[in-house]
Amino acid sequence: MSDSLLEAKQPQSTSEGFKQSDEAPSRLSHSITWFDDALLLGIMALLAGCGLIYEYLLSHYAGRILGALEAAIYTMIGLMIVSMGVGAFAARKIKCAFTGFAMLELTVALCGSFAIIITAAVIGFGQQLPLAIANNLGLPPDQLPNGGFIAILQALSEYLPYVWGVILGLMIGMEIPLIARVRQSLSEAHLLHNAGTIYGADYIGAGVGAAIWVGFMLAIDIQLAAALTASVNLLAGLVFIWRFWQQINHAKLLLIGHIIASILIGLLASKGPQWEQHFNNLLYKDKVVYAKATRFQQLTFTERLRGNGLAPVYNLYINGRLQFSSNDEHIYHHFLVHPTLAASARHDNVLIIGGGDGLGLKQVLEWNPKSVTLMDLDKDLVSLFKSPPDDMPKFLSTAMLALNADSLNDPRVKIINDDAFNGVDNLIANNQHFDAIIVDLPDPSHPDLNKLYSDLFYKKLNELLSADGVVTVQSTSPYHAPNAFISIGKTLKSAGFKVNQYHHNVPSFGEWGWSIASKQGLSPQQRLANLTHFPIENDWLTLGLVKGAFEFPANYYQDADKVNVNHIGSLQLYHYHLAAWSENEVMNLF
C-alpha cells in the first residue's frame, strides 16, 4: 500500500485546530451539502442572538427588579464571556458532537426559561422568611429576625442571576466547537475556514439578537422574553434532531425531552409573567397594586391601608428603589421647588428636568408661571401620571391624578420626551432661556446618569438660565453619601455658578439634600435670607424651615478640598455614590 494511500486513510483535522469527532466513518458523507451547511450556520447565528439576549435578560433582572447597582450588566457580561471560554475548552470532552449538541440545546432552553422565575421565587421567599419565622414564634412586628444569617442569605440570593449567567455561559461556550466538529464530520474533505465561517455567523447573529432586544424585548415582560428566547434554542435543537437523526445517539429520548420542554416553556410563556410578578411582589412590604415595565425601567406601585379614616399610602418604586411615598413626597418637592422660585427674580418660564410624575410640577404651578417645560426620558412613565392606562386600577389612577393635581394636563405645560443631556442642546439651539431650572433626576447610580451631574451638563444649564435665575439640583443624601453630595456642589461651582447646599429630613428617604445656584448677583442663600415672607402662600413650608435648612454641622465641609469635581467622562461622582451606598448595604447585613 502506497504512502499516499495510507495518508488518505488517516483522519483529517481542521486547520483551525478542531479535532475530527468520533462519529463512525459509515456516517460520513464525502462533502457537506449546501443545505446542511446553511442549516448549521443559520442555527449558529440564531444561538448567538439567544446567547446575547440571555446576558441582557439576567443583568436586566438584577438591575430592574432587585434594585442592584446598574454595574450589574458589565459584571454579567464579563462573567458570561469568561464562562464561555471555559465552556469552549470543556466541549472537547464531549465524544459525539451530534448527540452533545442536541442535549446541549435542550439544557440551555430549560435553564434559560427557568432562570428568571426560579431567581424571583428564591429571592421573594427569602424576603418573606423573617415574617414567616416571626409568625411561627409569635414575635411582634418590630422584632422581625432580619439580621445575622437571614440577612446574609438574603444578600447571597441576589447573586443568583450571576450564577445562572455562569451556567448559561458555560453551555453557550460549547456551541461553536460542537458545530465546528459537526461541520467537519459531515465532510471527508478538509473544511477551509471552518471556525472563521462559524464565527462570522456567530457575530452576525449576536448583532441581530441585540437589535431584537432593543427593538422588541425591552418593552415586554422579562419572563416572557426569557421563554421566547428559550423557544429558539428548543427549535434549533428540534431541527437539528430532525436533520441528523441517524448521527444522534438516543435520538428518540432527546425528541421526547424536547417535546416535554416545549410544553413547559409554553406554560412559562403564558403563565410565567404572572407568577414572576407574584414573586417580585414579595420584595415589597406593602401590597403591590400595579407594575409596568417600560422601555427604560421597571415601575412598581404599592398600597398600604392605614384605617381610622386615613388615606392609603401609595409608593412608587423604580427599579426596586423608592421614588416617592404619597405620605411625605410633599416634603421633598416643597424643598426642591419653593426655595428655587423664591430666590429667582422671575418665574415666568420654568424648566423641569426629570420629574415625570408631575409632583414637582404641581408645586411649580402654584407660582403661576406663564409656561413650564418638562423634559423626561420615559414617555410611558409620564403617561401613567398624565393619562393613566386602562389596565391601571381605577383607585390608583384617581389617587395619582389627585396627588399631582393633574398638573401634567395643564395647558401651560410642554412635555419633551428626550434624554436630558442631548435634549438641552435643542433648547440652547432654539435660543431659549428660563427664569428657573429644577433638576429632579435619579441619583447618579449608573455611568449614563453620571453625565447628567457633570461639569459639561451644568455648563449647558448655565447657558439656558437667565442672568438673574436660579437652578436647583437634587443631590442625594448628605448623610449617607457626603462625598457625592459635596461633589455635586463643587461641580456646579466649576460650571460658573454661585452655589449653596441645603438639607432636610424626608422620612421615606432619611436625610436628603439639594444644591441651589445662581449665575450673577447675590447667592441663593443670601437672596432667601433677605426675604421676610414667601412670595406665595404655602400651608406647609415656612421661611424659617428654608433658612434653617442651609445649616450644617461645623465640621461637615472640613475635608471638602479632598472631594473632586465630576468632570465629564471621569465617572467621579458615580464612584463616590457607588462606594457610599455599597458600604451602607454591607452595614445593613449585620
Side-chain angles (χ1 to χ4, degrees), residues 442-457:
D443 276 4
S445 57
H446 187 280
D448 286 343
L449 285 168
N450 182 83
K451 66 184 181 183
L452 297 175
Y453 289 83
S454 66
D455 55 347
L456 178 57
F457 183 67

Side-chain angles (χ1 to χ4, degrees), residues 54-80 158-163 165 319 321 445-447 574 578 582:
Y54 285 132
E55 292 180 10
Y56 291 158
L57 276 171
L58 292 168
S59 56
H60 172 89
Y61 184 86
R64 287 195 176 191
I65 307 302
L66 305 181
L69 296 169
E70 262 62 12
I73 188 170
Y74 308 115
T75 304
M76 184 66 69
I77 291 174
L79 281 174
M80 289 192 72
E158 296 186 4
Y159 288 94
L160 269 178
Y162 304 110
V163 175
N319 295 346
R321 297 188 180 95
S445 57
H446 187 280
Y574 166 70
L578 179 66
S582 296

Side-chain angles (χ1 to χ4, degrees), residues 14-31:
T14 73
S15 60
E16 305 286 349
F18 293 103
K19 292 183 179 180
Q20 178 99 4
S21 60
D22 297 330
E23 284 74 34
S26 61
R27 293 177 177 177
L28 297 175
S29 60
H30 288 286
S31 62

